Amino acid sequence: MRKKGVVVLLIVAALFLVWTFFLSDRWLEKRLESLLARIAGAKVEIDGFDFSLFGMRMGWEALRFADAGDPWRNLFETGYCVLDLEPGPIFERKFIVEEMRLQKLRFDTARETDGTLEIKAKRKKGPSKLGTMVKDKLEAKLSQLPLFDTKTLAMNIDVEAIWRRLEPTSPAKITRLVQEYERFAEGLQAGLAGIDAEEELAGVAENIDAIDVESLDTLEEMQDALSRLDRISDRLEGVTQTVEQRGGELGEEIVKLENTSASVERWIEEDLARIGNEVKIPRITLENVAEFLFGRKLTERVLKVLKIVEKFRAVSAKIRRFVPVPEIPPRLRGQDISFEKGGGLPAVWFKQASFSTFTRDDVLIEGSLMDLSTGQHLTGKPAVLEAAGGMEGKRSIVLTGRFDWRESVPKDSLRLSMYDIILRDVFLTDFPLLPNTLKKGTASLDAGVEFTGEALEAGIVFLIEDVSFTLPVRESGTYVEQLIYEVSSSIAADIDDIRIEADLEILPERTSLAIRSNLDAIVTGRVDEVLQKEARRVTEQLAERIRSEVQLPRQELYRIAREAESQVSKRLSELERLQDEIEAELKKKRTRIEERIEEETVGKAKKEIEEQRKKQQEALEQEREEKERQLEEERRKAEDAIKSGIKSLF
Amino acid sequence: MVGLKFVGKIFKALRSASSPRQIAGGFILGMLIGLVSLKSLFSAVAIILILVLNVNVAMAASGYAVFRLVTWLVDPWLHTLGYSMLAEAAFLQPAWIYLYNLPLVSFTRFNNTVVMGGFTAYAVLVVPVFILIKRFVVVYRERLEEKVNRWKIVQAVKGSRLFEWVGRITGIGA
């Protein structure tokens, strides 16, 4: 045994005691600030830290916890705080707080100095799985929520702006078609001039005239003339076919042109149809009106709650990591492996913490947080939050929470109930067609949110009674501003109470947001009626403008087409008339020649037969008369015989 | 100058009145502090033992210095060894859990991979190192001391003004 050594040890022990009494508080304060700053990723300041080893008590006068996201604000700050520690677990390096009393807890307060941590935490942690999933899905939902923007509305009912966006194509297309028609009309003139049938027809007519039927004497001459007429007829037929073919060709071209003009109506219809796409006035229905009114605000609030739960869980998850993940620590630093799963006490356990805080409206809230620990599986108890408060001793705000991380799937729930909250000049919604600010009202709120693993379910019922709105100052500005003012004034006059119910569900497989309010029917009816009327007005104006733009070229188009058709028709009619005249003359001559031939051939034979028939008829008449005379004579003889017989009898 | 003082202290210890057992004892206590962390309760115990027991303090310091350097060099290996014992050896888990919940034991920081690796290495090396140091002291005193003193480098160092000056201040040359 070395006596000198024992003396040295005693001196060291004495120095330690002196340090504990006089210097440990400042040292511990700095160590705690540094530890908490590493957790927060921003500065943490503690004032008046006091640690009593023998009394097993620690506390501070004030604590400011800077927000890493906004270093000029504190996440929270506290006033006086005292913690009663359990002495036994200290020797197991465990920090068990029997009771904690915290005063003047305030959230989101302004800082006087920059809270940025100069030496950042070495490992920058990303957002949790819960945070990423819920945030992504909520933001996706947020982006899907209908947006009602007055500027967009103004753009969407501004005829000039829509006309510029619309860029109707039909007037230009029709003008190009008119130019095509004009070129066609020029070509048509040449085409019609190219049908040179008059000369040919004149030659045919001369040939017909050259045949003098009456001067024909013999049957041979007549048959020869008839043959010439056949040849002339063939020639005429040829000319007719040529004219018909050319006429048909021109007709086809006109039909083709007319078919093209059928596209004109289609082009106009297409332009008119596009008006509907450009006049995008949001359709307000009962299903989506509440989303318009409160969707964004609700999802933003849920994201704020999510941030709190995420922070709680991050601390818990760090401690609950049973199976250590191998990491490469810095030299001589090593990695600490936790054996908390085996039982015993958790590393940190706040058995009971009571606190008092003030809201922004200076409403006093008092509450307690029970069993907040880094190892709920060891304590067997979930963290439970209970807080209540109100103005002038009234219990008008109740907040309860349960953070259960005992199983592998954490379950967190928060419920906030508020009653008889007097609202004055409260911003309600950014929906421009409703007065944004409540002048006064009495509100009640019952909101609950539950996180199970990465799933989220939230339900909110918000009631405001005796509502009175602050109407915006009327601006004699644009047409849209006046329209909005009129709509919002008219809606505001009809609202006495506001009741909003919302359900939000974010599961791995689906996200659903349902918001209902008693304003739905009022807003839907009034706003939709006005907006749809505006949409119809704008649509009609645009349609009218398109029609007036196309009117002249379309008329010109149809005029050229009609003229072309008429020219072709007139020309073909002329030629047809000429052909008909020649054909009639030809027919007349043919008939006359045929008569002459008949006279020469059939007429003579017929005369002879007639004469013979007449002779035969006369002979038969004489024979009949002779037979009648003989019969008359025989009858007379018979009568005489009868008469003489009768006489002989009498 | 620190290195010179340190070497001088070793030579002084080797030829001092301390027994080879005290010298070896001091060395292995210093070796414990070098292999595990200074922040560990093991080190606190070792320091108390060095102060209280009649072991050679200079050899304890040299043991610490040598094995701190060794620990720095083989740190990844010690981490792997400690990790496999703490996290992967299932049969040891009940023992670790029991120790973890015992008062004061957690202050040894045995659940740190480098501390556990270093302590395991210490447990393996302590007896061989103790025997080796003890033997070395005996052999040095019997056979090597005179030869070493005749080394020109040692004479040059001993004869130098610097050594004389350092010796006067620290009492090494006595």
Side-chain angles (χ1 to χ4, degrees), chain A residues 116-131:
Chain A
T116 308
L117 195 65
E118 277 126 25
I119 305 158
K120 288 265 179 189
K122 283 183 181 171
R123 271 197 308 164
K124 180 88 179 170
K125 286 199 176 82
S128 69
K129 200 177 166 189
L130 167 78

mmCIF file with all atom_site columns, all heavy atoms in Angstrom, chain A residues 116-131:
data_model
loop_
_atom_site.group_PDB
_atom_site.id
_atom_site.type_symbol
_atom_site.label_atom_id
_atom_site.label_alt_id
_atom_site.label_comp_id
_atom_site.label_asym_id
_atom_site.label_entity_id
_atom_site.label_seq_id
_atom_site.pdbx_PDB_ins_code
_atom_site.Cartn_x
_atom_site.Cartn_y
_atom_site.Cartn_z
_atom_site.occupancy
_atom_site.B_iso_or_equiv
_atom_site.pdbx_formal_charge
_atom_site.auth_seq_id
_atom_site.auth_comp_id
_atom_site.auth_asym_id
_atom_site.auth_atom_id
_atom_site.pdbx_PDB_model_num
ATOM 1   N N   . THR A 1 116 ? -28.769 29.412 -35.200 1.00 0.00 ? 116 THR A N   1
ATOM 2   C CA  . THR A 1 116 ? -28.057 28.445 -36.047 1.00 0.00 ? 116 THR A CA  1
ATOM 3   C C   . THR A 1 116 ? -26.901 27.815 -35.266 1.00 0.00 ? 116 THR A C   1
ATOM 4   O O   . THR A 1 116 ? -26.145 28.519 -34.593 1.00 0.00 ? 116 THR A O   1
ATOM 5   C CB  . THR A 1 116 ? -27.494 29.147 -37.308 1.00 0.00 ? 116 THR A CB  1
ATOM 6   O OG1 . THR A 1 116 ? -28.550 29.861 -37.914 1.00 0.00 ? 116 THR A OG1 1
ATOM 7   C CG2 . THR A 1 116 ? -26.912 28.143 -38.292 1.00 0.00 ? 116 THR A CG2 1
ATOM 8   N N   . LEU A 1 117 ? -26.786 26.523 -35.365 1.00 0.00 ? 117 LEU A N   1
ATOM 9   C CA  . LEU A 1 117 ? -25.701 25.820 -34.676 1.00 0.00 ? 117 LEU A CA  1
ATOM 10  C C   . LEU A 1 117 ? -24.467 25.889 -35.563 1.00 0.00 ? 117 LEU A C   1
ATOM 11  O O   . LEU A 1 117 ? -24.511 25.471 -36.725 1.00 0.00 ? 117 LEU A O   1
ATOM 12  C CB  . LEU A 1 117 ? -26.126 24.362 -34.462 1.00 0.00 ? 117 LEU A CB  1
ATOM 13  C CG  . LEU A 1 117 ? -25.312 23.566 -33.473 1.00 0.00 ? 117 LEU A CG  1
ATOM 14  C CD1 . LEU A 1 117 ? -25.471 24.131 -32.070 1.00 0.00 ? 117 LEU A CD1 1
ATOM 15  C CD2 . LEU A 1 117 ? -25.760 22.110 -33.478 1.00 0.00 ? 117 LEU A CD2 1
ATOM 16  N N   . GLU A 1 118 ? -23.380 26.441 -35.006 1.00 0.00 ? 118 GLU A N   1
ATOM 17  C CA  . GLU A 1 118 ? -22.188 26.614 -35.846 1.00 0.00 ? 118 GLU A CA  1
ATOM 18  C C   . GLU A 1 118 ? -21.616 25.278 -36.290 1.00 0.00 ? 118 GLU A C   1
ATOM 19  O O   . GLU A 1 118 ? -21.274 25.073 -37.429 1.00 0.00 ? 118 GLU A O   1
ATOM 20  C CB  . GLU A 1 118 ? -21.127 27.416 -35.099 1.00 0.00 ? 118 GLU A CB  1
ATOM 21  C CG  . GLU A 1 118 ? -21.363 28.911 -35.188 1.00 0.00 ? 118 GLU A CG  1
ATOM 22  C CD  . GLU A 1 118 ? -21.420 29.570 -33.831 1.00 0.00 ? 118 GLU A CD  1
ATOM 23  O OE1 . GLU A 1 118 ? -20.825 29.018 -32.895 1.00 0.00 ? 118 GLU A OE1 1
ATOM 24  O OE2 . GLU A 1 118 ? -22.085 30.609 -33.687 1.00 0.00 ? 118 GLU A OE2 1
ATOM 25  N N   . ILE A 1 119 ? -21.518 24.340 -35.333 1.00 0.00 ? 119 ILE A N   1
ATOM 26  C CA  . ILE A 1 119 ? -21.038 23.005 -35.699 1.00 0.00 ? 119 ILE A CA  1
ATOM 27  C C   . ILE A 1 119 ? -22.276 22.132 -35.825 1.00 0.00 ? 119 ILE A C   1
ATOM 28  O O   . ILE A 1 119 ? -22.915 21.789 -34.841 1.00 0.00 ? 119 ILE A O   1
ATOM 29  C CB  . ILE A 1 119 ? -20.089 22.437 -34.634 1.00 0.00 ? 119 ILE A CB  1
ATOM 30  C CG1 . ILE A 1 119 ? -18.960 23.422 -34.413 1.00 0.00 ? 119 ILE A CG1 1
ATOM 31  C CG2 . ILE A 1 119 ? -19.544 21.082 -35.043 1.00 0.00 ? 119 ILE A CG2 1
ATOM 32  C CD1 . ILE A 1 119 ? -18.282 23.269 -33.084 1.00 0.00 ? 119 ILE A CD1 1
ATOM 33  N N   . LYS A 1 120 ? -22.599 21.852 -37.046 1.00 0.00 ? 120 LYS A N   1
ATOM 34  C CA  . LYS A 1 120 ? -23.814 21.088 -37.309 1.00 0.00 ? 120 LYS A CA  1
ATOM 35  C C   . LYS A 1 120 ? -23.622 19.652 -36.841 1.00 0.00 ? 120 LYS A C   1
ATOM 36  O O   . LYS A 1 120 ? -22.502 19.159 -36.723 1.00 0.00 ? 120 LYS A O   1
ATOM 37  C CB  . LYS A 1 120 ? -24.103 21.097 -38.815 1.00 0.00 ? 120 LYS A CB  1
ATOM 38  C CG  . LYS A 1 120 ? -24.577 22.446 -39.299 1.00 0.00 ? 120 LYS A CG  1
ATOM 39  C CD  . LYS A 1 120 ? -26.081 22.470 -39.325 1.00 0.00 ? 120 LYS A CD  1
ATOM 40  C CE  . LYS A 1 120 ? -26.600 23.820 -39.794 1.00 0.00 ? 120 LYS A CE  1
ATOM 41  N NZ  . LYS A 1 120 ? -28.016 23.943 -39.621 1.00 0.00 ? 120 LYS A NZ  1
ATOM 42  N N   . ALA A 1 121 ? -24.722 19.002 -36.600 1.00 0.00 ? 121 ALA A N   1
ATOM 43  C CA  . ALA A 1 121 ? -24.673 17.578 -36.253 1.00 0.00 ? 121 ALA A CA  1
ATOM 44  C C   . ALA A 1 121 ? -24.009 16.823 -37.393 1.00 0.00 ? 121 ALA A C   1
ATOM 45  O O   . ALA A 1 121 ? -24.217 17.153 -38.564 1.00 0.00 ? 121 ALA A O   1
ATOM 46  C CB  . ALA A 1 121 ? -26.082 17.066 -36.043 1.00 0.00 ? 121 ALA A CB  1
ATOM 47  N N   . LYS A 1 122 ? -23.194 15.851 -37.052 1.00 0.00 ? 122 LYS A N   1
ATOM 48  C CA  . LYS A 1 122 ? -22.398 15.191 -38.086 1.00 0.00 ? 122 LYS A CA  1
ATOM 49  C C   . LYS A 1 122 ? -23.255 14.452 -39.100 1.00 0.00 ? 122 LYS A C   1
ATOM 50  O O   . LYS A 1 122 ? -22.997 14.443 -40.269 1.00 0.00 ? 122 LYS A O   1
ATOM 51  C CB  . LYS A 1 122 ? -21.400 14.245 -37.444 1.00 0.00 ? 122 LYS A CB  1
ATOM 52  C CG  . LYS A 1 122 ? -20.230 14.992 -36.871 1.00 0.00 ? 122 LYS A CG  1
ATOM 53  C CD  . LYS A 1 122 ? -19.221 14.070 -36.318 1.00 0.00 ? 122 LYS A CD  1
ATOM 54  C CE  . LYS A 1 122 ? -18.071 14.892 -35.722 1.00 0.00 ? 122 LYS A CE  1
ATOM 55  N NZ  . LYS A 1 122 ? -17.141 14.055 -34.986 1.00 0.00 ? 122 LYS A NZ  1
ATOM 56  N N   . ARG A 1 123 ? -24.294 13.783 -38.562 1.00 0.00 ? 123 ARG A N   1
ATOM 57  C CA  . ARG A 1 123 ? -25.149 13.049 -39.472 1.00 0.00 ? 123 ARG A CA  1
ATOM 58  C C   . ARG A 1 123 ? -26.458 13.788 -39.648 1.00 0.00 ? 123 ARG A C   1
ATOM 59  O O   . ARG A 1 123 ? -27.205 13.975 -38.709 1.00 0.00 ? 123 ARG A O   1
ATOM 60  C CB  . ARG A 1 123 ? -25.419 11.645 -38.946 1.00 0.00 ? 123 ARG A CB  1
ATOM 61  C CG  . ARG A 1 123 ? -24.368 10.660 -39.403 1.00 0.00 ? 123 ARG A CG  1
ATOM 62  C CD  . ARG A 1 123 ? -24.848 9.276  -39.243 1.00 0.00 ? 123 ARG A CD  1
ATOM 63  N NE  . ARG A 1 123 ? -25.332 9.035  -37.892 1.00 0.00 ? 123 ARG A NE  1
ATOM 64  C CZ  . ARG A 1 123 ? -26.089 8.002  -37.553 1.00 0.00 ? 123 ARG A CZ  1
ATOM 65  N NH1 . ARG A 1 123 ? -26.437 7.129  -38.470 1.00 0.00 ? 123 ARG A NH1 1
ATOM 66  N NH2 . ARG A 1 123 ? -26.493 7.817  -36.320 1.00 0.00 ? 123 ARG A NH2 1
ATOM 67  N N   . LYS A 1 124 ? -26.680 14.217 -40.853 1.00 0.00 ? 124 LYS A N   1
ATOM 68  C CA  . LYS A 1 124 ? -27.927 14.927 -41.142 1.00 0.00 ? 124 LYS A CA  1
ATOM 69  C C   . LYS A 1 124 ? -28.988 13.863 -41.395 1.00 0.00 ? 124 LYS A C   1
ATOM 70  O O   . LYS A 1 124 ? -28.905 13.091 -42.347 1.00 0.00 ? 124 LYS A O   1
ATOM 71  C CB  . LYS A 1 124 ? -27.717 15.807 -42.381 1.00 0.00 ? 124 LYS A CB  1
ATOM 72  C CG  . LYS A 1 124 ? -28.929 16.593 -42.790 1.00 0.00 ? 124 LYS A CG  1
ATOM 73  C CD  . LYS A 1 124 ? -28.998 17.910 -42.092 1.00 0.00 ? 124 LYS A CD  1
ATOM 74  C CE  . LYS A 1 124 ? -30.213 18.692 -42.547 1.00 0.00 ? 124 LYS A CE  1
ATOM 75  N NZ  . LYS A 1 124 ? -30.448 19.858 -41.738 1.00 0.00 ? 124 LYS A NZ  1
ATOM 76  N N   . LYS A 1 125 ? -29.957 13.831 -40.510 1.00 0.00 ? 125 LYS A N   1
ATOM 77  C CA  . LYS A 1 125 ? -30.996 12.803 -40.662 1.00 0.00 ? 125 LYS A CA  1
ATOM 78  C C   . LYS A 1 125 ? -32.065 13.282 -41.629 1.00 0.00 ? 125 LYS A C   1
ATOM 79  O O   . LYS A 1 125 ? -32.481 14.422 -41.604 1.00 0.00 ? 125 LYS A O   1
ATOM 80  C CB  . LYS A 1 125 ? -31.628 12.518 -39.313 1.00 0.00 ? 125 LYS A CB  1
ATOM 81  C CG  . LYS A 1 125 ? -30.727 11.711 -38.432 1.00 0.00 ? 125 LYS A CG  1
ATOM 82  C CD  . LYS A 1 125 ? -31.525 11.070 -37.321 1.00 0.00 ? 125 LYS A CD  1
ATOM 83  C CE  . LYS A 1 125 ? -30.660 10.189 -36.479 1.00 0.00 ? 125 LYS A CE  1
ATOM 84  N NZ  . LYS A 1 125 ? -29.911 10.913 -35.495 1.00 0.00 ? 125 LYS A NZ  1
ATOM 85  N N   . GLY A 1 126 ? -32.518 12.364 -42.482 1.00 0.00 ? 126 GLY A N   1
ATOM 86  C CA  . GLY A 1 126 ? -33.593 12.689 -43.408 1.00 0.00 ? 126 GLY A CA  1
ATOM 87  C C   . GLY A 1 126 ? -34.930 12.556 -42.695 1.00 0.00 ? 126 GLY A C   1
ATOM 88  O O   . GLY A 1 126 ? -34.979 12.175 -41.540 1.00 0.00 ? 126 GLY A O   1
ATOM 89  N N   . PRO A 1 127 ? -36.019 12.904 -43.387 1.00 0.00 ? 127 PRO A N   1
ATOM 90  C CA  . PRO A 1 127 ? -37.323 12.771 -42.755 1.00 0.00 ? 127 PRO A CA  1
ATOM 91  C C   . PRO A 1 127 ? -37.671 11.295 -42.529 1.00 0.00 ? 127 PRO A C   1
ATOM 92  O O   . PRO A 1 127 ? -37.164 10.420 -43.227 1.00 0.00 ? 127 PRO A O   1
ATOM 93  C CB  . PRO A 1 127 ? -38.271 13.408 -43.772 1.00 0.00 ? 127 PRO A CB  1
ATOM 94  C CG  . PRO A 1 127 ? -37.548 13.384 -45.058 1.00 0.00 ? 127 PRO A CG  1
ATOM 95  C CD  . PRO A 1 127 ? -36.102 13.397 -44.752 1.00 0.00 ? 127 PRO A CD  1
ATOM 96  N N   . SER A 1 128 ? -38.509 11.044 -41.544 1.00 0.00 ? 128 SER A N   1
ATOM 97  C CA  . SER A 1 128 ? -38.888 9.668  -41.237 1.00 0.00 ? 128 SER A CA  1
ATOM 98  C C   . SER A 1 128 ? -39.781 9.115  -42.342 1.00 0.00 ? 128 SER A C   1
ATOM 99  O O   . SER A 1 128 ? -40.280 9.847  -43.184 1.00 0.00 ? 128 SER A O   1
ATOM 100 C CB  . SER A 1 128 ? -39.635 9.633  -39.918 1.00 0.00 ? 128 SER A CB  1
ATOM 101 O OG  . SER A 1 128 ? -40.891 10.262 -40.086 1.00 0.00 ? 128 SER A OG  1
ATOM 102 N N   . LYS A 1 129 ? -39.998 7.790  -42.271 1.00 0.00 ? 129 LYS A N   1
ATOM 103 C CA  . LYS A 1 129 ? -40.844 7.142  -43.266 1.00 0.00 ? 129 LYS A CA  1
ATOM 104 C C   . LYS A 1 129 ? -42.263 7.694  -43.163 1.00 0.00 ? 129 LYS A C   1
ATOM 105 O O   . LYS A 1 129 ? -42.910 7.968  -44.160 1.00 0.00 ? 129 LYS A O   1
ATOM 106 C CB  . LYS A 1 129 ? -40.851 5.631  -43.001 1.00 0.00 ? 129 LYS A CB  1
ATOM 107 C CG  . LYS A 1 129 ? -41.279 4.804  -44.177 1.00 0.00 ? 129 LYS A CG  1
ATOM 108 C CD  . LYS A 1 129 ? -41.175 3.346  -43.838 1.00 0.00 ? 129 LYS A CD  1
ATOM 109 C CE  . LYS A 1 129 ? -41.900 2.503  -44.858 1.00 0.00 ? 129 LYS A CE  1
ATOM 110 N NZ  . LYS A 1 129 ? -42.001 1.118  -44.451 1.00 0.00 ? 129 LYS A NZ  1
ATOM 111 N N   . LEU A 1 130 ? -42.700 7.881  -41.921 1.00 0.00 ? 130 LEU A N   1
ATOM 112 C CA  . LEU A 1 130 ? -44.034 8.450  -41.684 1.00 0.00 ? 130 LEU A CA  1
ATOM 113 C C   . LEU A 1 130 ? -44.115 9.845  -42.305 1.00 0.00 ? 130 LEU A C   1
ATOM 114 O O   . LEU A 1 130 ? -45.034 10.151 -43.058 1.00 0.00 ? 130 LEU A O   1
ATOM 115 C CB  . LEU A 1 130 ? -44.306 8.536  -40.184 1.00 0.00 ? 130 LEU A CB  1
ATOM 116 C CG  . LEU A 1 130 ? -45.520 9.384  -39.782 1.00 0.00 ? 130 LEU A CG  1
ATOM 117 C CD1 . LEU A 1 130 ? -46.799 8.613  -40.017 1.00 0.00 ? 130 LEU A CD1 1
ATOM 118 C CD2 . LEU A 1 130 ? -45.436 9.806  -38.341 1.00 0.00 ? 130 LEU A CD2 1
ATOM 119 N N   . GLY A 1 131 ? -43.090 10.629 -41.992 1.00 0.00 ? 131 GLY A N   1
ATOM 120 C CA  . GLY A 1 131 ? -43.068 12.006 -42.485 1.00 0.00 ? 131 GLY A CA  1
ATOM 121 C C   . GLY A 1 131 ? -43.105 12.034 -43.997 1.00 0.00 ? 131 GLY A C   1
ATOM 122 O O   . GLY A 1 131 ? -43.889 12.767 -44.598 1.00 0.00 ? 131 GLY A O   1
#
